[in-house]
Amino acid sequence: MGLMALWAWHIGKSPRVLLATSWDSDWYSRIAAHGYGRTLHWPDGAVQSDLAFFPLYPGLIRSLTTALPVTGGTAGLMLSWAAAGAAAWGVYALVERLYDRRLATVVVLLWGLLPHSIVLTMAYTEPLLAAFAAWSLYALVTRRPLWAGSLAALAGLTRPNGIAVGAAVCAVVAYRLFTRGRRAGRGNANRGEEAVWRLCAAAALAPAGWGGYLLWVGLRTGDPVGGYFAVQSGWTSRFDLGAGALRVVRSMVTTPAFFGFPMALVITCAGVLLLVLLLLERPSLPLGVYAGVLVLITVGGSGFFESKPRFLLPAFPLLIPLALALTRARPRAAITVIAALAGVSFAYGTYLLTLAPLAL
């Protein structure tokens, strides 16, 4: 953020404006100030409705601007910075619980040095989703299902891919109920296990935020089942198992492409490779499901190809294999890798926010 600010001042731009009002940030501030109802019609036929944006973040912005004498953009930055700190703490606590302190420290460091980590300082929703996800997964591994389900519901109200947290909670609940039933059938029931009603309540809560907003948009648009997905289609965004992404990749081979497109391809492919490596490490069930669903949504979705790395930003479990490799490597090699990643992150993040012609 510091490097971006210096370059922004050098080229005559305001760092605060770039962080608080760029692209989606402006949509969130408008929703916070005026509610839903804004629709833009473009000459190419695209219809962009603000109903595509989930309500929790703008709702929190509105609460802050009501309580404090700040603008919507400033309130968004306050929320994002606080959420990024809470997310880093949650990622550390989760990885330390499952592995050790050293690995937890390296995972947090790598997460802060991802090429798109500049987003963690912007008025965007990724920091908030990452915070809810990290603490929901922590609640799962510490056997607090109601906390896990409640935080998953909030994650589902934050972003469309927040359903990945709900999927992790439901998968863990299903597994625990299954193993509980098997043990009970063999007469090996454990008195320390979670109550069935807590597990069932967690599974019901987890997708409630995401499903509730989709239903509300559907009722508002007159199509309870497909209304939200029609809104997303207006933004040229839909889940097509990667067909749209493949078309973009083919076009990059035949025609000159904006620099962000090949970078997005490299980062997304790296995410898929890291998922494979993570699964080979036999991770905790919630980590594997959460990361897997995020990668599936990112790779299988079409539209805004340049934003795919941002969609993967909350998928911090993907960094565990790389962190494991760094903790096993010689210190000089590990420092070289981290320094190189930092250099890429500082330069690319500055480019994305100050010079890139397309939305982040």
Side-chain angles (χ1 to χ4, degrees), residues 121-324:
T121 67
M122 297 175 64
Y124 264 49
T125 53
E126 276 74 16
L128 193 61
L129 172 58
F132 287 137
W135 286 109
S136 178
L137 297 178
Y138 180 81
L140 278 177
V141 300
T142 55
R143 294 190 173 272
R144 298 167 182 168
L146 291 180
W147 274 108
S150 300
L151 291 169
L154 293 174
L157 282 171
T158 303
R159 288 191 50 76
N161 56 356
I163 189 59
V165 189
V169 172
C170 291
V172 170
V173 167
Y175 175 76
R176 289 179 182 171
L177 289 175
F178 174 72
T179 55
R180 181 191 183 101
R182 290 187 64 183
R183 283 195 295 268
R186 296 172 182 173
N188 296 325
N190 185 349
R191 292 182 179 180
E193 292 178 326
E194 303 114 313
V196 172
W197 74 266
R198 290 179 181 272
L199 292 172
C200 293
L205 279 171
W210 185 82
Y213 183 66
L214 263 63
L215 179 60
W216 181 79
V217 172
L219 293 173
R220 178 161 174 157
T221 58
D223 182 2
V225 176
Y228 177 78
F229 301 104
V231 169
Q232 283 283 36
S233 294
W235 285 80
T236 68
S237 180
R238 61 183 63 86
F239 188 81
D240 58 7
L241 298 176
L246 287 175
R247 287 194 292 271
V248 174
V249 173
R250 283 200 298 267
S251 71
M252 281 192 282
V253 176
T254 57
T255 59
F258 154 61
F259 178 61
F261 280 89
M263 277 295 293
L265 176 61
V266 170
I267 295 170
T268 303
C269 289
V272 174
L273 175 60
L274 287 173
L275 176 63
V276 173
L277 295 176
L278 174 66
L279 296 178
L280 290 176
E281 291 286 344
R282 295 180 175 272
S284 172
L285 178 62
L287 293 188
V289 173
Y290 171 67
V293 173
L294 278 179
V295 171
L296 176 63
I297 292 173
T298 301
V299 174
S302 66
F304 298 99
F305 188 88
E306 68 280 7
S307 298
K308 287 186 180 294
R310 174 168 64 84
F311 302 156
L312 284 176
L313 189 58
F316 52 83
L318 296 178
L319 298 171
I320 290 175
L322 179 57
L324 284 169

Side-chain angles (χ1 to χ4, degrees), residues 1-235:
M1 187 173 67
L3 182 62
M4 183 281 300
L6 290 174
W7 180 252
W9 283 321
H10 174 70
I11 62 176
K13 294 183 178 181
S14 164
R16 186 260 173 203
V17 170
L18 290 173
L19 291 170
T21 64
S22 295
W23 302 300
D24 290 357
S25 301
D26 182 57
W27 284 89
Y28 289 120
S29 293
R30 286 176 178 270
I31 294 170
H34 308 293
Y36 287 100
R38 183 187 185 207
T39 301
L40 300 181
H41 298 265
W42 298 95
D44 62 358
V47 179
Q48 296 180 334
S49 168
D50 58 10
L51 292 173
F53 296 93
F54 277 51
L56 183 59
Y57 187 64
L60 293 174
I61 291 175
R62 187 178 184 89
S63 298
L64 273 183
T65 56
T66 301
L68 301 174
V70 295
T71 64
T74 299
L77 290 180
M78 293 170 63
L79 286 168
S80 292
W81 293 353
W89 182 17
V91 171
Y92 177 87
L94 175 64
V95 179
E96 182 193 27
R97 178 83 181 191
L98 295 173
Y99 296 91
D100 56 50
R101 295 179 63 183
R102 186 183 184 191
L103 186 70
T105 302
V106 176
V107 169
V108 173
L109 176 62
L110 292 175
W111 186 59
L113 293 178
L114 289 173
H116 275 63
S117 62
I118 190 69
V119 172
L120 298 175
T121 67
M122 297 175 64
Y124 264 49
T125 53
E126 276 74 16
L128 193 61
L129 172 58
F132 287 137
W135 286 109
S136 178
L137 297 178
Y138 180 81
L140 278 177
V141 300
T142 55
R143 294 190 173 272
R144 298 167 182 168
L146 291 180
W147 274 108
S150 300
L151 291 169
L154 293 174
L157 282 171
T158 303
R159 288 191 50 76
N161 56 356
I163 189 59
V165 189
V169 172
C170 291
V172 170
V173 167
Y175 175 76
R176 289 179 182 171
L177 289 175
F178 174 72
T179 55
R180 181 191 183 101
R182 290 187 64 183
R183 283 195 295 268
R186 296 172 182 173
N188 296 325
N190 185 349
R191 292 182 179 180
E193 292 178 326
E194 303 114 313
V196 172
W197 74 266
R198 290 179 181 272
L199 292 172
C200 293
L205 279 171
W210 185 82
Y213 183 66
L214 263 63
L215 179 60
W216 181 79
V217 172
L219 293 173
R220 178 161 174 157
T221 58
D223 182 2
V225 176
Y228 177 78
F229 301 104
V231 169
Q232 283 283 36
S233 294
W235 285 80

